[in-house]
Structures are given as structure tokens and as C-alpha cells.
Amino acid sequence: MEDESFKASPQEKRLKILASDEIKSIYARPRFNYEERIEYFALSHSDLEILEGFRSLKSQIHFILQLGYFRAKYLFFIFTLDEVEDDFQYIMEQHFDSRQIGGITVIDKQTRLKQQRLILELYGYRNCTKEERQELEQRARQSAMVYSKPIYVFRELVNYLTKHQIILPGYSLMQKVVSRAINSEQSRLISIIQSKLQASEIEDFKKLLADSTGLYEITQLKHEPRDFSLAEIRREIQRGEQLHPFYRIAQRLLPELKISNESIKYYASLVGYYSVFRLKQLTEWTTYIYLICFTYHRYQQRSDNLINCLIFRVRNYSDEAKSVAKERLQECHVEINENLQKAGQVLKLLTDESIAVDTPFKTFQSNAFKILPRQKLIVVANRMAKAVSLDETAFQWEYIDKLSRQFKLHLRQAIVTIEFTSTLSQDTLIEAVDFLKAAFKKGKPLKEFSSELFPVDCVPASVTSYLYAQDSKHQKQLLPDRYEFLIYRLLRNGLESGDISCRDSIHFQSLEDDLINDLRWQDKQKLMFDNNLTVLTDPILEHLSLLEQTLEQRIIEVNRRIADGENEYFQIKKRGKQVRWNLLYPQGVDLINSPFFDSLKQVDIGEVLYFVDRHCHFIKAFDHVLGRYQKQAVDERVMIACLIAWGNNMGMGRMGQVSDINYQLLASTSDNFIRLETLKEANDLISNAIAELSIFHHYDIDSTIHSSSDGQKFEARINTINSRHSPKYFGLKKGVVSYTLVANHIPVNAKIIGANEHESHFVFDILFNNTTDIQPEIHSTDTHGTNQVNFAVLNSFGYQFAPRYKDIYDKVSKALYGFKHPSNYEGVIKPIRKLNTDLIVEEWENIQRIMVSLAVKETTQSIIVGKLSAYARKNKTRRALWEYDNILKSLYLLDYIDSLPLRQNVQRALNRGESYHQLRRAISYANFGKLRFKSELEQQLWSECGRLIANCILYYNASILSNVFAHRESIGDVQGIESLKQISPVAWQHINLYGRYEFRKCSEPIDLDDIVRQLTQVQSY
């Protein structure tokens, strides 16, 4: 019986957390195919002992049925034998010799409950009683403080129940628990804001939403710079000045609210989603919470934008100076070589006997300079005498002198605006930066300051000679322009390495500021336990001892198998005294555009989306941005048109021209319904629906969901703040990267990143924030996805990291470690050095703290991973984490060398990612594939819409394959079944992605049964 305390009040609204398909996938009785019946209805010795305790045949049959369904979903179901006829028949044939039994009825409630009790005892599970529900309420409230999205809280509760082996309560109860937790969190926040927000501050926030002659002030603050041009950066600095007083308010209040950075980001995003009109409709205090979070997050974004501008421009200036210096050096070499011949003619004058002995030296000089001018002769003479050498660095600084006006104009304002700090207690670079800021604020040119006033302790000795010149009195004088640029360059290096930070920033805070605070860390054991970080809870000495035993045994075993010839794919090559080895790499692929689909008639992409919506109802995820219109149903055809316009890079204007829906309707529908939040939910619905199809788990690799992630480059036609140059991919243009997680061919998560950002920083981020039911166990990347921490991070969260290395010999030669000195090892594969386990033990608590911070979303995971994997950092904790990562990496390298199936699996997973990229490129065909979007948000919307279209194509293809599979299974076509398992759902030759779109036309809906009949007539694939 449901606890009275959990009953909803009449006023309590039913919270929508899951779509109907998602509810069904979790709570509905499983439908088994033949292979699943074999697995779930098999009986162990313990099962048979319990079975014998039931005398009647109907009780025994019901016990097996309940047991099988429980194994599949860890839930109990009420059913009649008619509803489970196929399962009933299988059990009769498998366990009771097909005895014909008539009149078997449903067992009584008492027997059913007894069987359920015995099954719970057998598997160590328990029902969710009153005490467990109270704990569930507490967990929900804790989760809501971390992240207030209902789906996040729901998933955290499911994880908690699974971990503690508690039966999942009914959906309505879960709705109530989640709803109360979110409402409680809202009430808690409002109560704090009401008591802490001052009257004058309330008036200031109201002004952000007040009508004005132009745009609302909050609307102006939402705008982000499109690029790093001077005008855009000046506007960003101005926005920072407007935001600064609100940021100070937020700094005072947010610690009182005790919400995570992820929640701050979420509340801030709502201001971006909602119009001013919608914000005014919210309760007053809720609006203040959102505005506080928005101004706090936006101010930190402004700091990031200015710092990124500094890094971008200093790098460009430096690269430009290096390029010019190389050209200048080459020109000098050419000029010297050209003048050598003339210099030889000058030398011949000295040996010319026809010249009179008493010829004046001036005459001799005059003749020499006619052959080669004085300055050119001096250069050649010095070169021949090696008195001086051409200095490329000097050429660089000469060019920097010419850039002085540019870097002063673009960088000084940013430097004055940002407050920098150092990881060191006394940092000479910060002293120099503060000196420059003070000078700039005074408005005096640097050349008016005495050289003795410039802080020079931070200047590297190798640069000192280039910063000084002799004045007319032959005294050394500091060159202020060069000094200024040097400080900018040192500052950039410090920011990229993590030695310099900015507390008013998101990406450039110090690592310590990104981690959970000391107060929360006092409860570290509970935090690790609650976040399923069980690997970290073992005593470190025991943990290292087990790793040592495993690693040392693997080194011996791998070398033995090589020596005995058992590893036949390991090839040793000798070239003289040099010995190298090589591994044979598999080349098997999952073919895209399989001939299997060739016989199908063309179908428009709009009809595919409409077909998928009829089965998945993904359009229901798109609710109206205004709450009062939430009951207003979106026009499905218009919505589909909008999604295609976004996803194929066409835009609403062009779609209005080539379709039967006008631009105004498309634009208003897009503005009202398409948001990142709704797109991600729609994508999750489709991904989960694909996972429910019978063909899905036949894409498992070695019976495991083996995912991969990789970045795909797209050129941007319009400059945006995150567009970057990449000559390899974009030539002289700019672009972005769509980083996608692909599991069993399905793109389950994606993220837009800059072309300058390292893909390895986002591997954990994209895995951990995957909200679909498709949860990988093994994850692969190419070499770009590897760094110094990903093995440790992913292992801590239960993932096996399995990258592919471009040069495995080179990697093993530099990155294989052991617990002993290298001299203690024999064989071809030897560690390069001994692991420093003392460092790991000493820093283990800090490593635990980093992992917990990642788990509780204290900050964006890619930010922490990026800082941890920065090569220039000398942080002791970072070095310990690298060392721990080396152990896990070494274990993987040994497995990779020793196991051909592992290498094949990794290659296969990566091939699937490449196949998806080809589909994704085909979808985004408009404007020659060059992105036409003006902001990072629009790029993200394009990415999610493109992923949604791809998901729809995959669902359509997988549905066809699943139905053909069922047909082949029904007729016992074993060969046909095996061939179907090899067919990739990544195919689009039978789908029309282009042309004129007619969404209003009442075309005949896709008939899946007819398609299956057509395909089953084909004799070969």
C-alpha cells in the first residue's frame, strides 16, 4: 500500500519526466525473442531448488515466468497466460517436455507474492518500503540541489535504487518524489532570496526587464561577440561593465543558495531560452533566481571571451612574427649567396698585379664598392668571418615592433578589465601585469616611465638581450613595446598551462577553484559511495597491490606469448642493429549504404521524420517556450519542416522558398518550440526507441555496447566566437568541430567545440552526460582522444577506455611502465621506467576529490580534464594522477598488443563513427556544407537538428531490418539472419534529402509491412 505521505495534494500538478515510450521501456513487461528466452528462462541449481517447492504445475510455470521477467528488468508484473503465450509455450517445451496441459489458470495473489519474495531473496533485492521511500525523498532533494532538471533527478534516483538493489517504485510515485524535490528546491531558493536580496538590488533587477526605447537591457546582455574584432571586444567590455554590479550581488548570494555550478548554468540558460515576456510571467522571486544565475554566468563568459581574445591574438602575432622572420632569414641567405661571387671579385683586386703599388687605398676602396656596395660587403665579410650569425629571433622582435599599434589597440583594454591570479604565492608575472595595468590607467605612454620601474624578474634570460637597446649615451634602455608584448606572451603561456588563472571566469579558474570545497569534502566517503565511485573507495595500498600483481603478470604473459609464437599477429622487423615490431591491424568495416536498401523506392526525408514520429512521438518533446501555451499542440508538418531547415543547414528563409510552408510560420514555430533542451529530449526519445528494436543488440561488439567518439570538421561561412582557423581542414577559413558519441551506430550525444580545442578533453564529458538508455561499457577514440588522464578518469566511472594509437610501437616505447626497474624485465616488451607509487599514495585523496568533483558536476568536466592534461602544469596532484593513469594505460597497451579481437573491436567501433560522419555530411548539404549560423547557440541547434534527422534515418532503417529479421527468424532462415546482423543501418541512398519539399501534401504514409514483403522476396543481400 502506498504511504500516505507520498500522496499528491489536489493542487499538486503531475510532473512530466518521461515520454510515454520511455515509461513503457522502463515499466512495461519485457517482450522476448527466442535468444532472450534461452537466456532469461534458463534455470540454475538454486532456481530448481525453489521451483521444487511449488507442487502444482501452474505455480511452477508462473514462477519461471516471474523469474525471467525479473532478471530482465528487476521488476514484477501481473499478467495472464494469454498475454505471455509465446513465453508460456517455450517454458512448456523446454522444462516440461511439451506436456499438453489444459485449464491452467492464473495463480492466486498469495502464491504470486510468495514467489516474488523468494525471487527477491535469491537476488538480494528488496521492495521500496516506507523507510526506503523516505530515503528516496532525501536523495531527490540532494540531486535537485546539484541539477534541477527532472530527468536528471529521476536518473539519479534510478541509479540509487539499482545500486542498493531496491525495486523501482511505480512511475506515479517517482513523479511525486521528483516533483516534490524540485518544488522543495525552488521553495528553498526563493526563501533565501527573499531574505537576502535587498530592496535596491530588486529595483536594479527589475530594470533589466523594463521597457526601453530600444532592446530590453537583458536582451542586449544576452548577445555574445561574433569574433575577436576590436568593435566586438569593446562591446563585450561594455557588457561586462553593465553586468559587474549584478555579478557582485550574485557572488554574495550564490554561496547562500548552495547550488552547483551546473545548476547555475542551467538556471542561466533559462534566461537565454525565455523571452522577456515569458520571464515576466514567472513568479517574481523565481525570475530573480534566474537573473542572478544569468548575470553571474554571463559575466564569467565575458571574462572567458576576453581571455580567449588575448590568447588568440598573441598566438597570431607570434606565429606571424615567426613566419616573417623565417622569410627574412631566407632572403638574407639568398642575398648573401648572391653577393659571394661579387665578394670574390673584390678579393681578386688584392691580387691584381696590374694595379700600381702606390695606388691610394681610397681608390682601391672605391673600385671595390663599385663591385659590391659597402653595407652588402660588410654583411658578406662578417658572414665569411663568422663574426656574426643571422638571428631569427631578432627578426621576430623587429616585426613585433611593427605590430605594436595593433596589440596595444586590441589587448590593453582586456588586460585592464581582467583580474589575474597565480597559483604561486608570489608571482613575478602578476607583478608585471599589475604594473602595466596601473600605467595604462594613468594614460601615460610606457616610454615615459623609467626603465628601473619595469618589473623584470619574470623576463627569461634568453629574451633579455632583445628587450634592451643603447641610447645616445650608450646606456642600456628597456624597449617598452617589446616588454609589453613579452608580458602578453608570458601571460598567454601561463593561462594555457594553468599557472595563471582568473577567478571571475569559467574556463580559466584555478583547478582548486573548480573542485568541491573543503566543507563538502569532509563527507568524502559518502560522496564517493553515492556517486558509484567504488573503485576509489578501496584502500589505496590494496588497490595498488592488486594493480601491481595484474600488470606484472601481464608483462610476463604477453612476452611469453610473443616468444612462443602464440601471438601470430605480432611481427618483429630487424634493420641492421635496429629492432622494431609491428602489429597487424584489422581493416573490417560496417559498410554504409548497403545494397540491401537498393531495391527500396525513394522516400522523402519529411516522410521519414513523420514515420518516426508516429512510432516514437518525439515531436511531443517540443513544448512551447511560453508556459501558458503548453497545451497548444505544434503542427507536426511545420515542426518537421523547421527541423529539416535547421539540420540541413538551409535556414528558414530558404526553406520558405523551396517548400509549401511560408517563412513567417516556419520562423515563429522555430522560435517558440526549438531549443537545445527540447532537441536533446527528442533525440533521446528516438535513440531509446532504436535501442528497443530487435536488431539493436545484434550491433553489440562482443556482447557489449562499445562506443566511440570523434570530431567532424565543418567550415563556418560566418565568423562566430568559437570558430577557429585550422589550415589542415579549412585552409584560410574558420570552422568548428561537431564532437559526437556513437554507440551501436546511434549518435547518442554530441557537442560543438572549437577547432582549436583538444578532443581528448571532451571524452568523459560526452560520455558522462549521455542521457539516453544506451550506456556504453567500452569506449574508443583515435589518437586525438587520448591524453594523460582519460584512462584514470574513465576507469573511475566504470568505463573501459580503449583508444586506437597511430603508432603503437612508438607509444609502447614511450608509455609502458612497470612496478620494477626496467633492468628486471626480459622479453621484447619492456617498461621504460618504474612507476612512482609513493606519489600516488601521497596524493590519493586529492585524486579522489577530483573524481568526485567531476561526478557532482561542480564544473564542466571538459574544463577540469583540460587543466589536468595540460603539459606545462607542475602541480603535484596532476603528476600523481598522470602516474595512476600510466598504470591503467600500461595494462591496456599490453592487452592491445596481445589481443587481435580487441584491436578488431576498437577498429570496428571507430569505423561506425566514421560512417555516421558521412551520413551527417550528407544531411548538412545546403550552402555547400558551410555553416551559415551567426552564434554558437545557433550552431548547437544545427548540430542537434542534424543529429535528430540522422537518428530518424537510423530508426527507419533499423525498423526495416528488425522486421525482416523477425520474418527470417519465423521461417528459420539461419543464413539470412546472420547476413542481416552484418548490415549497417547507416544508409541513405533510398531517402531523398534534396529538392522541393511538400509537407502539406497528403502523401501515402510509409507502409513498413509492404517494405518487408518487398525485401523478403530478394534472395540475396
Side-chain angles (χ1 to χ4, degrees):
M1 181 178 293
E2 192 173 282
D3 182 16
E4 289 296 323
S5 64
F6 283 79
K7 289 185 178 180
S9 64
Q11 296 80 21
E12 189 171 8
K13 295 182 179 180
R14 185 64 60 88
L15 178 69
K16 178 184 175 183
I17 304 173
L18 305 174
S20 56
D21 287 345
E22 291 178 302
I23 297 171
K24 182 179 178 182
S25 68
I26 295 175
Y27 287 98
R29 177 178 53 80
R31 265 63 173 176
F32 294 147
N33 58 30
Y34 184 76
E35 292 176 349
E36 289 170 334
R37 291 188 185 103
I38 294 174
E39 177 183 356
Y40 290 114
F41 291 137
L43 298 178
S44 66
H45 179 71
S46 301
D47 300 334
L48 290 170
E49 286 184 349
I50 298 175
L51 184 67
E52 291 173 359
F54 298 101
R55 296 182 180 179
S56 69
L57 188 59
K58 71 175 182 179
S59 295
Q60 292 180 337
I61 293 170
H62 277 83
F63 173 76
I64 298 173
L65 285 167
Q66 288 208 85
L67 181 65
Y69 297 149
F70 182 82
R71 286 171 173 167
K73 289 199 170 183
Y74 296 101
L75 290 172
F76 293 114
F77 306 91
I78 299 175
F79 49 83
T80 65
L81 293 181
D82 291 338
E83 293 172 338
V84 296
E85 184 177 355
D86 292 339
D87 294 338
F88 168 72
Q89 188 62 37
Y90 171 82
I91 292 171
M92 292 292 295
E93 294 173 359
Q94 187 70 23
H95 297 293
F96 299 101
D97 301 327
S98 299
R99 281 183 286 173
Q100 297 298 318
I101 308 297
I104 295 182
T105 58
V106 177
I107 57 175
D108 58 64
K109 182 178 179 181
Q110 185 177 358
T111 304
R112 174 166 54 82
L113 293 176
K114 177 184 177 181
Q115 290 181 352
Q116 291 177 2
R117 188 183 71 253
L118 291 171
I119 292 171
L120 288 174
E121 291 175 358
L122 180 65
Y123 282 88
Y125 268 73
R126 65 184 190 273
N127 284 311
C128 191
T129 61
K130 179 179 179 180
E131 289 74 18
E132 279 78 21
R133 291 176 184 177
Q134 290 174 347
E135 178 64 24
L136 208 60
E137 286 259 1
Q138 179 64 27
R139 295 280 173 175
R141 286 193 291 270
Q142 292 174 358
S143 298
M145 291 179 67
V146 175
Y147 198 21
S148 290
K149 288 189 70 172
I151 186 62
Y152 172 79
V153 179
F154 181 85
R155 291 183 186 278
E156 288 297 300
L157 295 183
V158 171
N159 290 338
Y160 166 77
L161 293 166
T162 302
K163 178 181 177 181
H164 292 274
Q165 296 185 301
I166 301 171
I167 297 294
L168 179 67
Y171 180 61
S172 61
L173 188 144
M174 293 290 283
Q175 282 180 301
K176 296 169 189 174
V177 172
V178 173
S179 179
R180 290 185 179 184
I182 292 175
N183 290 336
S184 174
E185 176 65 4
Q186 287 288 323
S187 299
R188 183 184 71 84
L189 297 179
I190 289 173
S191 175
I192 295 172
I193 292 298
Q194 286 176 330
S195 63
K196 300 293 183 180
L197 197 61
Q198 300 171 9
S200 60
E201 295 169 341
I202 292 174
E203 290 303 314
D204 290 337
F205 278 113
K206 285 182 178 179
K207 290 177 183 178
L208 292 178
L209 304 178
D211 292 332
S212 61
T213 55
L215 291 173
Y216 291 103
E217 188 172 348
I218 191 67
T219 304
Q220 296 177 21
L221 295 175
K222 289 180 186 180
H223 291 165
E224 290 195 28
R226 292 180 297 174
D227 49 36
F228 295 131
S229 65
L230 182 60
E232 289 291 327
I233 292 303
R234 282 177 173 171
R235 279 193 284 268
E236 187 70 350
I237 291 173
Q238 185 179 359
R239 294 185 194 106
E241 292 171 356
Q242 292 176 265
L243 287 163
H244 187 262
F246 298 103
Y247 180 69
R248 292 303 179 203
I249 297 171
Q251 280 186 310
R252 177 173 59 84
L253 293 178
L254 287 175
E256 301 279 349
L257 298 180
K258 297 180 181 178
I259 57 177
S260 70
N261 286 331
E262 195 69 17
S263 281
I264 294 172
K265 182 180 177 182
Y266 172 63
Y267 291 136
S269 70
L270 296 179
V271 177
Y273 292 147
Y274 294 151
S275 64
V276 174
F277 176 73
R278 176 68 180 99
L279 287 171
K280 288 181 177 180
Q281 286 188 313
L282 300 173
T283 61
E284 179 184 5
W285 298 105
T286 299
T287 303
Y288 296 150
I289 293 171
Y290 293 172
L291 289 174
I292 288 168
C293 292
F294 169 78
T295 51
Y296 180 82
H297 188 263
R298 183 66 184 87
Y299 188 85
Q300 291 187 326
Q301 279 185 321
R302 160 265 190 196
S303 298
D304 281 349
N305 291 334
L306 296 181
I307 292 172
N308 280 322
C309 174
L310 168 71
I311 292 172
F312 173 79
R313 290 206 170 274
V314 171
R315 183 186 292 114
N316 277 7
Y317 294 145
S318 298
D319 291 346
E320 193 176 336
K322 289 177 183 178
S323 177
V324 170
K326 287 184 183 297
E327 292 178 6
R328 182 78 181 91
L329 192 65
Q330 183 65 25
E331 290 172 359
C332 288
H333 283 303
V334 171
E335 185 178 358
I336 289 172
N337 290 335
E338 289 177 348
N339 291 332
L340 276 175
Q341 185 178 3
K342 294 180 179 180
Q345 295 176 17
V346 172
L347 290 175
K348 284 183 179 181
L349 291 176
L350 297 175
T351 60
D352 190 346
E353 295 181 357
S354 65
I355 300 176
V357 176
D358 57 350
T359 301
F361 182 71
K362 285 291 185 182
T363 303
F364 177 83
Q365 276 188 323
S366 176
N367 292 333
F369 295 153
K370 288 179 182 178
I371 299 173
L372 191 64
R374 177 189 294 271
Q375 291 302 320
K376 291 185 177 181
L377 184 59
I378 291 173
V379 171
V380 175
N382 287 335
R383 181 69 172 168
M384 295 172 66
K386 296 185 178 179
V388 296
S389 59
L390 296 176
D391 190 343
E392 184 177 344
T393 305
F395 290 147
Q396 291 179 24
W397 281 108
E398 288 174 8
Y399 187 74
I400 292 297
D401 292 337
K402 298 177 182 179
L403 294 175
S404 61
R405 184 176 181 279
Q406 289 188 44
F407 65 70
K408 290 176 185 177
L409 198 61
H410 287 92
L411 300 181
R412 281 187 173 182
Q413 292 182 76
I415 292 297
V416 170
T417 305
I418 303 169
E419 292 294 328
F420 296 102
T421 58
S422 171
T423 55
L424 306 175
S425 56
Q426 291 182 336
D427 193 285
T428 55
L429 178 57
I430 296 297
E431 182 184 354
V433 171
D434 289 341
F435 168 78
L436 289 179
K437 292 169 72 171
F440 298 155
K441 289 177 181 178
K442 290 179 180 179
K444 292 172 59 179
L446 288 179
K447 63 183 179 181
E448 295 186 9
F449 290 84
S450 170
S451 295
E452 288 74 19
L453 296 177
F454 287 74
V456 294
D457 289 343
C458 63
V459 177
S462 59
V463 182
T464 304
S465 61
Y466 301 102
L467 296 187
Y468 291 89
Q470 288 187 346
D471 60 14
S472 57
K473 299 179 181 179
H474 300 287
Q475 297 294 319
K476 283 178 59 177
Q477 287 292 327
L478 185 72
L479 300 173
D481 289 351
R482 293 190 179 187
Y483 176 85
E484 181 180 347
F485 184 79
L486 175 67
I487 299 306
Y488 293 152
R489 195 170 70 185
L490 294 175
L491 191 57
R492 182 206 73 177
N493 295 340
L495 288 165
E496 290 186 331
S497 69
D499 294 324
I500 300 296
S501 59
C502 172
R503 287 183 174 171
D504 301 328
S505 163
I506 301 171
H507 288 83
F508 297 98
Q509 282 187 347
S510 68
L511 177 63
E512 290 70 24
D513 289 336
D514 285 330
L515 304 183
I516 60 175
N517 58 44
D518 293 339
L519 181 62
R520 291 186 67 189
W521 186 238
Q522 291 177 4
D523 205 9
K524 59 183 179 181
Q525 289 297 330
K526 186 174 184 298
L527 284 169
M528 287 187 287
F529 186 74
D530 290 346
N531 288 284
N532 298 320
L533 297 173
T534 53
V535 174
L536 304 177
T537 57
D538 295 334
I540 182 56
L541 292 177
E542 294 180 15
H543 183 49
L544 288 176
S545 177
L546 181 60
L547 288 173
E548 178 179 4
Q549 181 181 355
T550 305
L551 180 58
E552 296 302 314
Q553 288 177 349
R554 286 299 290 148
I555 294 173
I556 295 171
E557 178 64 14
V558 169
N559 278 297
R560 184 197 66 77
R561 282 175 45 77
I562 293 172
D564 293 348
E566 295 179 22
N567 188 345
E568 55 185 316
Y569 298 97
F570 185 95
Q571 297 180 334
I572 298 177
K573 297 180 179 181
K574 294 183 179 180
R575 292 183 179 178
K577 294 183 179 180
Q578 186 179 11
V579 178
R580 285 181 64 96
W581 52 265
N582 186 37
L583 293 174
L584 293 181
Y585 279 80
Q587 298 299 322
V589 297
D590 290 287
L591 292 175
I592 62 171
N593 279 325
S594 167
F596 173 86
F597 298 100
D598 285 346
S599 61
L600 296 179
K601 68 176 183 179
Q602 287 274 309
V603 59
D604 289 340
I605 184 60
E607 290 304 318
V608 172
L609 267 65
Y610 189 63
F611 166 84
V612 176
D613 181 58
R614 293 207 320 270
H615 291 80
C616 304
H617 309 295
F618 69 86
I619 289 182
K620 289 184 178 179
F622 295 96
D623 58 342
H624 200 288
V625 69
L626 300 181
R628 65 194 180 101
Y629 290 122
Q630 62 185 354
K631 293 182 180 179
Q632 175 186 326
V634 63
D635 186 320
E636 295 174 349
R637 295 290 183 174
V638 178
M639 190 70 215
I640 288 172
C642 291
L643 293 171
I644 294 174
W646 273 106
N648 67 10
N649 193 33
M650 181 181 294
M652 302 304 148
R654 181 60 179 159
M655 178 59 80
Q657 295 172 355
V658 300
S659 74
D660 54 359
I661 302 176
N662 64 61
Y663 166 75
Q664 287 76 15
L665 182 56
L666 289 168
S668 62
T669 301
S670 175
D671 291 343
N672 289 331
F673 292 95
I674 294 182
R675 308 185 298 280
L676 278 180
E677 189 175 24
T678 56
L679 281 167
K680 288 181 178 294
E681 184 179 348
N683 266 306
D684 285 358
L685 283 171
I686 303 171
S687 296
N688 292 339
I690 299 173
E692 291 293 315
L693 297 175
S694 60
I695 197 69
F696 176 78
H697 280 294
H698 292 296
Y699 298 135
D700 289 355
I701 300 176
D702 266 357
S703 302
T704 300
I705 296 180
H706 188 151
S707 62
S708 67
S709 59
D710 193 15
Q712 185 177 18
K713 281 71 178 177
F714 288 90
E715 183 180 327
R717 200 177 72 180
I718 301 173
N719 278 345
T720 58
I721 194 70
N722 65 328
S723 299
R724 292 290 191 278
H725 290 289
S726 179
K728 180 179 178 181
Y729 299 103
F730 311 126
L732 299 177
K733 305 294 183 179
K734 293 182 179 181
V736 297
V737 175
S738 177
Y739 193 66
T740 308
L741 171 65
V742 175
N744 283 21
H745 297 290
I746 314 304
V748 295
N749 200 9
K751 187 179 185 71
I752 291 291
I753 63 177
N756 62 312
E757 297 183 279
H758 205 286
E759 292 179 8
S760 68
H761 300 169
F762 298 88
V763 173
F764 172 73
D765 200 331
I766 204 167
L767 267 171
F768 189 67
N769 292 297
N770 162 32
T771 54
T772 71
D773 294 336
I774 304 171
Q775 296 295 325
E777 298 176 39
I778 304 176
H779 184 74
S780 292
T781 68
D782 58 14
T783 306
H784 292 98
T786 61
N787 55 30
Q788 296 283 6
V789 300
N790 272 349
F791 276 98
V793 172
L794 266 64
N795 180 73
S796 298
F797 286 85
Y799 302 106
Q800 180 184 336
F801 188 39
R804 178 191 65 192
Y805 291 104
K806 186 176 181 180
D807 187 343
I808 186 64
Y809 173 84
D810 182 66
K811 191 65 184 178
V812 171
S813 301
K814 297 176 181 178
L816 184 67
Y817 303 87
F819 283 83
K820 303 174 185 176
H821 189 274
S823 61
N824 294 315
Y825 297 96
E826 297 180 354
V828 178
I829 307 299
K830 295 181 179 180
I832 61 167
R833 70 165 173 82
K834 182 181 178 182
L835 289 156
N836 186 352
T837 54
D838 291 340
L839 180 61
I840 300 173
V841 173
E842 186 177 349
E843 290 294 317
W844 185 243
E845 183 175 351
N846 289 328
I847 293 174
Q848 291 173 318
R849 189 171 186 170
I850 289 169
M851 300 306 174
V852 171
S853 298
L854 289 169
V856 300
K857 298 177 181 283
E858 190 65 23
T859 187
T860 305
Q861 289 90 353
S862 57
I863 294 175
I864 293 183
V865 173
K867 291 174 182 176
L868 291 171
S869 56
Y871 287 93
R873 288 186 62 82
K874 300 177 177 61
N875 182 283
K876 188 176 182 181
T877 303
R878 183 227 47 169
R879 288 190 291 111
L881 181 58
W882 283 20
E883 200 73 348
Y884 180 61
D885 185 89
N886 286 333
I887 301 175
L888 302 170
K889 185 191 304 176
S890 298
L891 283 167
Y892 173 73
L893 290 172
L894 292 169
D895 289 340
Y896 196 81
I897 292 170
D898 197 43
S899 174
L900 176 65
L902 173 59
R903 298 197 295 274
Q904 290 174 326
N905 293 344
V906 170
Q907 184 67 49
R908 190 176 180 189
L910 290 171
N911 286 341
R912 290 176 173 181
E914 291 298 326
S915 297
Y916 169 74
H917 285 172
Q918 293 185 53
L919 170 61
R920 188 68 184 79
R921 185 74 67 179
I923 291 170
S924 186
Y925 67 88
N927 292 291
F928 305 101
K930 299 177 182 179
L931 303 188
R932 50 171 300 282
F933 305 111
K934 299 178 182 178
S935 67
E936 184 178 354
L937 175 60
E938 288 186 352
Q939 290 173 355
Q940 292 170 341
L941 293 175
W942 157 79
S943 174
E944 286 300 307
C945 287
R947 183 164 72 97
L948 186 144
I949 294 172
N951 260 323
C952 287
I953 293 173
L954 292 167
Y955 179 88
Y956 175 60
N957 292 339
S959 297
I960 294 172
L961 289 168
S962 293
N963 280 270
V964 175
F965 185 90
H967 172 78
R968 294 294 177 190
E969 194 175 42
S970 67
I971 63 175
D973 183 0
V974 177
Q975 184 178 355
I977 289 172
E978 290 304 313
S979 65
L980 275 171
K981 294 178 183 179
Q982 308 307 314
I983 298 174
S984 168
V986 182
W988 63 93
Q989 75 268 40
H990 55 302
I991 297 172
N992 180 23
L993 297 170
Y994 322 105
R996 176 167 176 82
Y997 299 93
E998 294 183 339
F999 298 103
R1000 298 294 194 187
K1001 184 179 179 181
C1002 295
S1003 56
E1004 187 176 335
I1006 295 173
D1007 187 342
L1008 195 59
D1009 292 335
D1010 182 60
I1011 293 174
V1012 172
R1013 280 193 299 271
Q1014 178 185 346
L1015 288 170
T1016 52
Q1017 293 173 2
V1018 180
Q1019 297 301 314
S1020 63
Y1021 303 109

